[in-house]
Amino acid sequence: MSLSPTLENSATETQTRRPKVGFVSLGCPKNLVDSEVMMGLLHRGGAELTPRAEDAEILVVNTCSFIDSAKQESVDTILEMVQHKIANGGRAQKLIVAGCLVERYRDEIRKNIPEVDAVVGTGELEAIMEAAGLSRPTPAENNSPFAILTTAQIERHASSVNQHSRPESDGPQIAHETTHSVSLDAQSSRPEGDAREQAGRFSREAWDGATPALPNYLYSDETPRILTTPRASAYIKIAEGCDHPCSFCIIPQLRGKFRSRPLASIVAETKSLIAQGVREITLIGQDTTCYGEDLPKDPVTGKRPELADLLDALAPLPGLKWLRFLYAYPNKVTTRLLESIAKHDTVAKYLDVPLQHASANVLRRMKRGGTADRFLQIIDKARSIVPGLVLRTSFIVGFPGETEADFEELLAFVQEAKIDWLGVFSYSDEEGAGAFSLDEKVPKRTIEARRRKLMKLQNKISTKARRAWVGREIDLLVEGESEETELLWQGRSLDQAPEIDGKVLINDFGPHEVLVPGTFYRAEITESHDYDVVARIIE
């Protein structure tokens, strides 16, 4: 099949023709929101989105480069899209690469993959318009800037990091429009971030091709966005960037300094989403518990807004069924925050705190701080203030200098803490991260053995915890047919965050002949497995 004519048309012709754009979004939910914003900009600028790469005239890959496996997946996906452009007889005429991989390897991407027509960094989302050859989008005709595509229009793309949407998209070179974005220049910053910047935390001098300026883009409630999550659910990014000094992480260099969205903007976005049928909101940021620390003080109270204030503002909104936030920093889990979680029925009794380790020796080398005893105190306090609290965390095994004694301390901590949901990452040695230069690297075989041993322990804990669910009645958000078998449907309880926790499998529709995805039902847990449970609908 021959390729379609090139897209060297005028902006008017391009908009009239509605070029078809295909997206592949990789990485975390924060990256997914970036993809949704770029899709919204393109759609409002005249593009048509397609879930079929072979139909797209313009392909966009929004990449992740957090760890080696994510970088490899990003490169493999780019090369797959190259095939649609040059070898598979598809219609693709342009290939755009966006996201974290661009911030890290901007020049190398263009040099080593010449089929890439444009690159768009994490702070250049609005540049997707120029890259796609489209003019600045016109304002939306209705009061809401948000458009929603159904899951029938947007396929789900399996990723080694998470489940992600797989739409398709178009575009050429980078532009720097500032419509509907919030610049870091327009707001203050955290003192910690300023101090760490002076100490070189955000330095990208050794990164060939990296732009001197850090990303400072922040979308707002006026930014167009197309949801790719199931219709009843949506993510809202409440902040961007990170100021923490963690020595294993390069996200601050990829995403810039920590910056919060104004509270009023988040409330406005939430109301808009609720008006379009969204019932579950998940607030995300690299560290949501730092929210507001960089915002101006209220002239009346003299205080800056906090995450607790945001929960208090969102939780009572009519039409909102479930509200949760992800990624809390241990020493930022305050009594006031816990009390806000406890007092609102709509707020999930759920705390995602990536602890990373339990050994003081390893945590010190990670530049995290903390001890196993201190973490247990935080957990005990949280569980006492929030009855029935569900705890999720993640750990890194094999960090440089991690001894067998350190690892045994981690095992003992997990045994005592009885964590509900746990993720274990093998240490990935990332150039540019502080830990890259550390000695005492742990052999890969040892790292993998430790990861398996920790997951085996957690499996036993999870199996016992899931068994305790049997007989419980829950509110259940039905997602649709099971990913594993057509014989079952699946959904989630409020105790299960999208895409990262276990599932509720449904084998009995109860009084209903059919179930409607995106709808809440009452269900009873009838059996349990290691991480998932089985339920029957009762009303």
Side-chain angles (χ1 to χ4, degrees), residues 177-203:
E177 300 181 72
T178 56
T179 310
H180 303 319
S181 65
V182 178
S183 169
L184 187 58
D185 298 335
Q187 57 190 63
S188 57
S189 57
R190 299 173 67 241
E192 294 94 328
D194 296 337
R196 285 170 186 147
E197 183 175 29
Q198 293 174 4
R201 174 63 177 121
F202 303 95
S203 175

Short mmCIF file of all heavy atoms in Angstrom, two decimals, residues 177-203:
data_model
loop_
_atom_site.label_atom_id
_atom_site.label_comp_id
_atom_site.label_asym_id
_atom_site.label_seq_id
_atom_site.Cartn_x
_atom_site.Cartn_y
_atom_site.Cartn_z
N GLU A 177 3.78 27.81 22.64
CA GLU A 177 2.58 28.57 22.95
C GLU A 177 2.38 28.60 24.46
O GLU A 177 2.75 27.67 25.16
CB GLU A 177 1.36 27.93 22.28
CG GLU A 177 1.46 27.87 20.76
CD GLU A 177 0.22 27.24 20.19
OE1 GLU A 177 -0.83 27.89 20.20
OE2 GLU A 177 0.31 26.10 19.73
N THR A 178 1.74 29.62 24.97
CA THR A 178 1.54 29.74 26.41
C THR A 178 0.07 29.84 26.77
O THR A 178 -0.27 30.11 27.91
CB THR A 178 2.28 30.97 26.96
OG1 THR A 178 1.84 32.13 26.24
CG2 THR A 178 3.78 30.82 26.81
N THR A 179 -0.83 29.59 25.82
CA THR A 179 -2.25 29.67 26.09
C THR A 179 -2.66 28.65 27.15
O THR A 179 -2.33 27.48 27.06
CB THR A 179 -3.05 29.39 24.82
OG1 THR A 179 -2.52 30.19 23.77
CG2 THR A 179 -4.51 29.72 25.02
N HIS A 180 -3.39 29.10 28.15
CA HIS A 180 -4.01 28.22 29.15
C HIS A 180 -3.01 27.42 29.96
O HIS A 180 -3.34 26.39 30.52
CB HIS A 180 -4.99 27.25 28.48
CG HIS A 180 -6.05 27.94 27.70
ND1 HIS A 180 -6.67 29.07 28.14
CD2 HIS A 180 -6.59 27.65 26.50
CE1 HIS A 180 -7.57 29.46 27.24
NE2 HIS A 180 -7.53 28.62 26.24
N SER A 181 -1.77 27.82 30.03
CA SER A 181 -0.81 27.12 30.88
C SER A 181 -0.42 28.04 32.02
O SER A 181 -0.65 29.24 31.99
CB SER A 181 0.43 26.71 30.09
OG SER A 181 1.13 27.86 29.67
N VAL A 182 0.17 27.47 33.05
CA VAL A 182 0.65 28.25 34.18
C VAL A 182 2.16 28.14 34.19
O VAL A 182 2.70 27.04 34.24
CB VAL A 182 0.08 27.71 35.51
CG1 VAL A 182 0.63 28.51 36.67
CG2 VAL A 182 -1.44 27.81 35.49
N SER A 183 2.85 29.23 34.13
CA SER A 183 4.31 29.22 34.13
C SER A 183 4.83 29.28 35.55
O SER A 183 4.24 29.92 36.43
CB SER A 183 4.85 30.41 33.35
OG SER A 183 6.25 30.56 33.54
N LEU A 184 5.95 28.62 35.79
CA LEU A 184 6.58 28.66 37.10
C LEU A 184 6.96 30.10 37.47
O LEU A 184 7.02 30.46 38.63
CB LEU A 184 7.83 27.77 37.11
CG LEU A 184 8.53 27.55 38.45
CD1 LEU A 184 7.58 26.93 39.45
CD2 LEU A 184 9.77 26.70 38.28
N ASP A 185 7.21 30.94 36.45
CA ASP A 185 7.56 32.32 36.72
C ASP A 185 6.42 33.07 37.40
O ASP A 185 6.64 34.10 38.04
CB ASP A 185 7.90 33.05 35.40
CG ASP A 185 9.10 32.43 34.71
OD1 ASP A 185 9.92 31.81 35.42
OD2 ASP A 185 9.22 32.55 33.48
N ALA A 186 5.19 32.56 37.25
CA ALA A 186 4.03 33.26 37.78
C ALA A 186 3.73 32.88 39.22
O ALA A 186 2.78 33.36 39.79
CB ALA A 186 2.81 32.96 36.92
N GLN A 187 4.55 32.01 39.83
CA GLN A 187 4.27 31.59 41.18
C GLN A 187 5.57 31.43 41.95
O GLN A 187 6.66 31.44 41.38
CB GLN A 187 3.48 30.28 41.19
CG GLN A 187 4.18 29.15 40.44
CD GLN A 187 3.28 27.96 40.26
OE1 GLN A 187 2.26 28.03 39.61
NE2 GLN A 187 3.65 26.85 40.84
N SER A 188 5.45 31.32 43.26
CA SER A 188 6.64 31.15 44.09
C SER A 188 7.06 29.70 44.09
O SER A 188 6.42 28.85 43.47
CB SER A 188 6.32 31.63 45.51
OG SER A 188 5.21 30.92 46.03
N SER A 189 8.16 29.40 44.76
CA SER A 189 8.64 28.02 44.82
C SER A 189 8.91 27.65 46.27
O SER A 189 8.89 28.49 47.17
CB SER A 189 9.92 27.88 43.99
OG SER A 189 10.91 28.79 44.43
N ARG A 190 9.13 26.37 46.48
CA ARG A 190 9.42 25.89 47.83
C ARG A 190 10.87 26.24 48.20
O ARG A 190 11.78 26.08 47.38
CB ARG A 190 9.23 24.38 47.91
CG ARG A 190 7.82 23.92 47.60
CD ARG A 190 7.75 22.40 47.54
NE ARG A 190 7.97 21.77 48.83
CZ ARG A 190 8.94 20.92 49.11
NH1 ARG A 190 9.82 20.60 48.19
NH2 ARG A 190 9.06 20.39 50.29
N PRO A 191 11.10 26.70 49.43
CA PRO A 191 12.49 26.99 49.85
C PRO A 191 13.41 25.79 49.68
O PRO A 191 14.57 25.93 49.30
CB PRO A 191 12.32 27.37 51.33
CG PRO A 191 10.91 27.86 51.44
CD PRO A 191 10.13 27.05 50.47
N GLU A 192 12.85 24.58 49.95
CA GLU A 192 13.67 23.37 49.78
C GLU A 192 14.13 23.22 48.33
O GLU A 192 15.26 22.82 48.06
CB GLU A 192 12.87 22.12 50.19
CG GLU A 192 12.53 22.06 51.66
CD GLU A 192 11.14 22.62 51.95
OE1 GLU A 192 10.73 23.57 51.22
OE2 GLU A 192 10.48 22.14 52.88
N GLY A 193 13.21 23.53 47.41
CA GLY A 193 13.54 23.41 46.00
C GLY A 193 14.61 24.42 45.59
O GLY A 193 15.53 24.09 44.84
N ASP A 194 14.49 25.64 46.10
CA ASP A 194 15.49 26.66 45.78
C ASP A 194 16.86 26.26 46.30
O ASP A 194 17.87 26.41 45.61
CB ASP A 194 15.08 28.00 46.39
CG ASP A 194 13.79 28.55 45.78
OD1 ASP A 194 13.46 28.15 44.64
OD2 ASP A 194 13.12 29.35 46.45
N ALA A 195 16.89 25.73 47.53
CA ALA A 195 18.16 25.32 48.12
C ALA A 195 18.78 24.16 47.35
O ALA A 195 20.00 24.14 47.11
CB ALA A 195 17.95 24.94 49.59
N ARG A 196 17.96 23.23 46.95
CA ARG A 196 18.49 22.07 46.23
C ARG A 196 18.91 22.44 44.81
O ARG A 196 19.82 21.85 44.25
CB ARG A 196 17.47 20.94 46.25
CG ARG A 196 17.42 20.27 47.62
CD ARG A 196 16.29 19.31 47.83
NE ARG A 196 16.31 18.87 49.23
CZ ARG A 196 15.24 18.56 49.94
NH1 ARG A 196 14.04 18.67 49.38
NH2 ARG A 196 15.34 18.18 51.19
N GLU A 197 18.24 23.42 44.23
CA GLU A 197 18.67 23.88 42.92
C GLU A 197 20.06 24.50 43.00
O GLU A 197 20.92 24.25 42.15
CB GLU A 197 17.68 24.90 42.36
CG GLU A 197 18.04 25.36 40.96
CD GLU A 197 16.99 26.29 40.37
OE1 GLU A 197 16.32 26.98 41.15
OE2 GLU A 197 16.85 26.30 39.13
N GLN A 198 20.30 25.28 44.06
CA GLN A 198 21.61 25.89 44.26
C GLN A 198 22.68 24.83 44.50
O GLN A 198 23.85 25.01 44.15
CB GLN A 198 21.57 26.87 45.43
CG GLN A 198 20.70 28.09 45.16
CD GLN A 198 20.54 28.98 46.38
OE1 GLN A 198 21.14 28.74 47.42
NE2 GLN A 198 19.71 30.02 46.26
N ALA A 199 22.26 23.70 45.08
CA ALA A 199 23.20 22.60 45.36
C ALA A 199 23.40 21.69 44.15
O ALA A 199 24.15 20.72 44.23
CB ALA A 199 22.71 21.79 46.55
N GLY A 200 22.72 22.00 43.04
CA GLY A 200 22.92 21.22 41.82
C GLY A 200 21.96 20.08 41.61
O GLY A 200 22.16 19.26 40.71
N ARG A 201 20.86 20.01 42.39
CA ARG A 201 19.93 18.89 42.28
C ARG A 201 19.32 18.75 40.89
O ARG A 201 19.08 17.65 40.41
CB ARG A 201 18.79 19.05 43.31
CG ARG A 201 17.67 18.02 43.20
CD ARG A 201 18.20 16.64 43.47
NE ARG A 201 17.17 15.61 43.46
CZ ARG A 201 17.15 14.57 42.65
NH1 ARG A 201 18.10 14.43 41.73
NH2 ARG A 201 16.20 13.65 42.74
N PHE A 202 19.10 19.86 40.21
CA PHE A 202 18.39 19.82 38.93
C PHE A 202 19.33 19.93 37.72
O PHE A 202 18.88 20.13 36.60
CB PHE A 202 17.36 20.95 38.87
CG PHE A 202 16.36 20.91 39.99
CD1 PHE A 202 16.55 21.66 41.14
CD2 PHE A 202 15.23 20.11 39.90
CE1 PHE A 202 15.63 21.62 42.18
CE2 PHE A 202 14.31 20.06 40.93
CZ PHE A 202 14.51 20.81 42.08
N SER A 203 20.61 19.79 37.97
CA SER A 203 21.59 19.97 36.90
C SER A 203 21.43 18.94 35.78
O SER A 203 21.28 17.75 36.03
CB SER A 203 23.01 19.88 37.46
OG SER A 203 23.96 19.94 36.41
#
